[in-house]
């Protein structure tokens, strides 16, 4: 098959692609209050409307599924190749040097929340469909791009979509990394909680704790409101802890309240080693300061059992296997209102692990600390064997377009791949790239974005064209 026409079309669309991306990034499609025909909030509804109107303008058939998801398609056949992307994003969070909704261009990159996760990849898939359609390459299968609006908060969008229409027969989700991700770890969410009944009479009461917005994000900032009698002495004690631990801690005073602030580095929960967990930092600092009354024991237990660990060792769940790698554990949310203390964990586990056994291990590890353990949700690992024709086909395409080594591997992140048969994650980060997904100053490299469009276009032409049959 001659791909020169496709590649030429992709290059001719560069300016249009960047302009569309900037328009999409300008919509802060973070989940909001549900309303009629907008189950995930007004901004997600607005984003879905924009994406479908753009696709219709480019000559594709589009469908809206009550604001849960939409799809874009062309061609027909006995089978359908699918590409699954999402339009919702996590909140901007802290630490940005660029406007998270400004889609600013600098040094060959477009900055903004959603550029790499997952509006940029969704546009790459759409533009790949444009290039294949406009090239006239014959296809034996239909092609469908599915755009969801709830990937970051539970994937209920895909369950709704699948209840109303048959899912494609095979395909990929461009929501992770190249070359091909054929294994996604399982996901277990736990709540660790304690009722303190108030602080009681103590030297340094803790009135509130706050860190994190989503379990699947490493908190970049954590705060504790404290009852402090001698502020200068407290500042000195905090400085001592900060120096000893190499922590970034500050003390703020406002309206007669004293707040201890811990500053870490935000990251995606599937790669906690790329961040520094501010919630864990704060817990350790509070333990060192001997803070809390009735909350002191629970705070100390969380500091000891979680702290800055991200492998689950101290709660008895550290494990790994050769195919899917090690378990990761992220303390994503920390809350205390003076009476109820809660820590929520995002655990990504390998093929060898068992969710029920892990719940038991965590409960046992915390049994002496009087912390209740509650399972908030679980999904099993996703695995498409490396010798499957879809994996082999995408590896072939990736190598032909880039000239780079092609291989299949596992990740801790969860994508839409698990929602469709014979589906893997494919792109958009390249080997060696810094993954800014869920991080401040998220960006997409413009030239690599164009290369990704070529890769996806070749994949459509090869797989839907029957080259791998």
């Amino acid at each position: 098959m001659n791909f020169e026409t496709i590649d030429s079309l992709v290059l001719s669309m560069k300016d249009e692609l960047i302009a569309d991306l900037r328009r999409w990034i300008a919509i802060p499609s973070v989940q909001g209050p549900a309303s009629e025909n907008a189950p995930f909030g007004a901004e997600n509804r607005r984003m879905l409307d924009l994406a479908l109107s753009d696709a219709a303008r480019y000559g594709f058939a589009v469908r809206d599924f009550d604001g849960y998801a939409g799809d874009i398609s062309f061609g027909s056949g006995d089978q359908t190749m699918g590409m699954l992307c999402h339009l919702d994003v996590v909140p901007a969070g802290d630490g940005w040097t660029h406007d998270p909704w400004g889609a600013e261009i600098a040094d060959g990159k477009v900055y903004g929340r959603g550029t790499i996760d997952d509006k940029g990849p969704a546009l790459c898939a759409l533009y790949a469909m444009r290039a294949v359609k406009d090239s006239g390459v014959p296809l034996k299968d239909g092609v469908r791009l599915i755009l969801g609006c709830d990937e970051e908060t539970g994937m209920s969008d895909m369950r709704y979509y699948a209840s109303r229409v048959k899912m494609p027969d095979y395909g990929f989700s461009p929501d992770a990394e190249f070359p091909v991700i054929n294994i996604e770890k399982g996901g277990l969410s736990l709540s660790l909680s304690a009722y303190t009944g108030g602080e009681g009479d103590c030297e340094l009461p803790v009135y509130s704790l706050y860190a994190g917005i989503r379990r699947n994000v490493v908190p970049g900032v954590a705060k504790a409101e404290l009852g402090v009698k001698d502020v200068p002495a407290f500042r000195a004690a905090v400085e001592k802890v900060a120096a000893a631990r190499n922590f970034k801690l500050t003390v703020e005073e406002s309206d007669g309240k004293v707040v201890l602030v811990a500053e870490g580095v935000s990251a995606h929960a599937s790669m906690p080693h790329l961040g520094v967990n501010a919630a864990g930092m704060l817990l350790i600092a509070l333990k060192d300061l001997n803070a809390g009354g009735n909350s002191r024991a629970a705070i100390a237990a969380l500091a000891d059992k979680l702290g800055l660990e991200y492998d689950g060792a101290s709660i008895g769940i550290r494990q790994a296997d050769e195919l899917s790698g090690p378990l990761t554990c992220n303390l994503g949310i920390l809350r205390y209102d003076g009476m109820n203390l809660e820590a929520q964990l995002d655990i990504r586990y390998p093929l060898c692990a068992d969710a029920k056994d892990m719940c038991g291990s965590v409960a046992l590890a915390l049994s002496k600390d009087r912390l209740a353990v509650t399972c908030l949700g679980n999904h099993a690992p996703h695995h498409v064997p490396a010798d499957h024709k879809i994996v082999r086909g995408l590896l072939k395409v990736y190598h032909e377009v880039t000239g780079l080594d092609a291989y299949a591997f596992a990740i801790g992140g969860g994508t839409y791949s698990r929602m469709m048969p014979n589906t893997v994650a494919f792109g958009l980060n390249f080997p060696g790239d810094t993954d800014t997904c869920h991080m401040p100053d998220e960006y997409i490299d413009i030239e690599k974005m164009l290369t990704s469009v070529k890769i996806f276009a070749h994949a459509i032409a090869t797989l839907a064209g029957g080259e791998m049959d």
Side-chain angles (χ1 to χ4, degrees):
M1 185 179 293
N2 189 334
F3 292 104
E4 290 183 4
T5 300
I6 289 177
D7 291 348
S8 178
L9 284 166
V10 170
L11 292 177
S12 72
M13 297 173 180
K14 177 179 177 179
D15 292 342
E16 199 174 359
L17 173 60
I18 294 170
D20 279 349
L21 178 61
R22 299 191 74 190
R23 291 165 56 242
W24 286 27
I25 296 303
I27 298 179
S29 49
V30 178
Q31 188 181 64
S35 60
E36 185 177 358
N37 209 35
F40 309 114
E43 295 295 355
N44 269 297
R45 174 73 263 178
R46 188 157 69 101
M47 184 62 243
L48 181 60
D49 287 342
L50 175 61
L52 294 181
S53 66
D54 281 350
R57 181 161 50 88
Y58 296 142
F60 295 106
V62 302
R63 295 184 292 183
D64 170 24
F65 291 82
D66 304 318
Y68 282 81
D71 66 21
I72 301 162
S73 59
F74 80 105
S76 61
D78 292 336
Q79 291 194 316
T80 300
M81 174 184 175
M83 295 175 287
L84 288 76
C85 301
H86 64 93
L87 301 175
D88 61 314
V89 298
V90 298
D94 305 298
W96 287 77
T97 62
H98 296 270
D99 179 355
W101 315 114
E104 298 172 7
I105 299 176
D107 302 321
K109 303 177 179 68
V110 181
Y111 288 85
R113 180 59 82 219
T115 49
I116 200 70
D117 182 34
D118 190 39
K119 295 178 184 180
L123 269 170
C124 287
L126 176 58
Y127 270 70
M129 291 172 66
R130 285 186 66 188
V132 173
K133 179 172 71 70
D134 293 351
S135 73
V137 170
L139 302 178
K140 73 175 187 64
D141 293 339
V143 179
R144 191 191 315 167
L145 170 60
I146 304 172
L147 302 175
C149 298
D150 185 41
E151 195 271 351
E152 298 290 2
T153 51
M155 300 191 187
S156 64
D157 52 351
M158 285 301 104
R159 291 188 287 274
Y160 186 92
Y161 180 88
S163 73
R164 281 154 177 78
V165 64
K166 181 181 180 295
M167 294 296 281
D169 300 283
Y170 65 91
F172 61 87
S173 178
D175 189 20
E177 303 169 52
F178 289 121
V180 170
I181 294 165
N182 68 319
I183 299 174
E184 295 179 11
K185 295 177 184 176
L188 176 64
S189 300
L190 297 181
S191 169
L192 314 180
S193 61
Y195 174 71
T196 68
E199 285 298 87
D201 185 20
C202 63
E203 285 294 315
L204 190 58
V206 178
Y207 297 135
S208 72
L209 297 173
Y210 187 93
I213 301 172
R214 301 274 179 86
R215 286 190 298 271
N216 62 352
V217 180
V218 176
V221 176
K223 298 182 178 183
E225 184 185 338
L226 303 157
V228 178
K229 298 174 183 177
D230 186 340
V231 176
F234 179 70
R235 286 185 181 277
V238 169
E239 289 174 2
K240 185 176 180 180
V241 170
R245 295 280 190 178
N246 195 27
F247 285 175
K248 189 171 183 179
L249 304 171
T250 55
V251 178
E252 299 177 353
E253 294 182 74
S254 177
D255 298 326
K257 298 177 180 178
V258 175
V259 178
L260 176 61
V261 181
E263 185 175 343
V265 178
S266 184
H268 194 290
S270 66
M271 296 171 285
H273 61 284
L274 298 180
V276 179
N277 197 305
M281 185 188 301
L282 181 65
L283 289 167
I284 294 170
L286 291 172
K287 181 191 174 188
D288 288 352
L289 293 165
N290 205 28
N294 293 334
S295 65
R296 185 185 303 168
I299 288 172
L302 292 175
D304 291 339
K305 297 299 197 307
L306 301 176
L308 296 178
E309 278 189 5
Y310 50 78
D311 61 0
S314 295
I315 52 175
I317 58 174
R318 180 170 60 185
Q319 55 197 302
D321 62 38
E322 186 174 351
L323 281 178
S324 50
L327 175 148
T328 61
C329 177
N330 177 58
L331 168 56
I333 294 177
L334 179 65
R335 298 285 190 272
Y336 181 50
D337 61 6
M339 301 287 280
N340 297 284
L341 175 64
E342 183 185 28
Q344 293 187 15
L345 308 182
D346 179 300
I347 298 164
R348 312 293 173 106
Y349 61 89
L351 297 172
C352 66
D354 180 88
K356 186 176 180 180
D357 289 346
M358 286 189 289
C359 289
S361 296
V362 175
L364 181 62
L366 298 172
S367 59
K368 294 180 181 179
D369 301 307
R370 298 184 179 180
L371 285 162
V373 180
T374 305
C375 179
L376 301 175
N378 174 62
H379 61 259
H382 174 68
H383 181 202
V384 178
D387 60 356
H388 193 286
K389 71 175 184 178
I390 299 304
V391 177
R392 291 187 288 106
L394 293 176
L395 290 175
K396 174 178 179 289
V397 164
Y398 173 80
H399 175 69
E400 287 176 349
V401 174
T402 67
L404 300 173
D405 291 340
Y407 51 88
F409 65 106
I411 62 165
T415 74
Y416 278 148
S417 297
R418 65 183 69 249
M419 308 303 293
M420 195 171 85
N422 308 310
T423 300
V424 296
F426 187 54
L428 206 61
N429 281 307
F430 287 83
D433 284 354
T434 298
D435 188 352
T436 56
C437 170
H438 293 196
M439 296 180 72
D441 286 342
E442 178 183 346
Y443 69 82
I444 189 168
D445 181 282
I446 292 172
E447 291 305 316
K448 289 181 178 179
M449 181 168 60
L450 286 170
T451 301
S452 297
V453 177
K454 290 181 184 179
I455 293 171
F456 295 163
H458 285 227
I460 293 169
T462 299
L463 296 177
E467 292 294 312
M468 288 302 297
D469 288 351

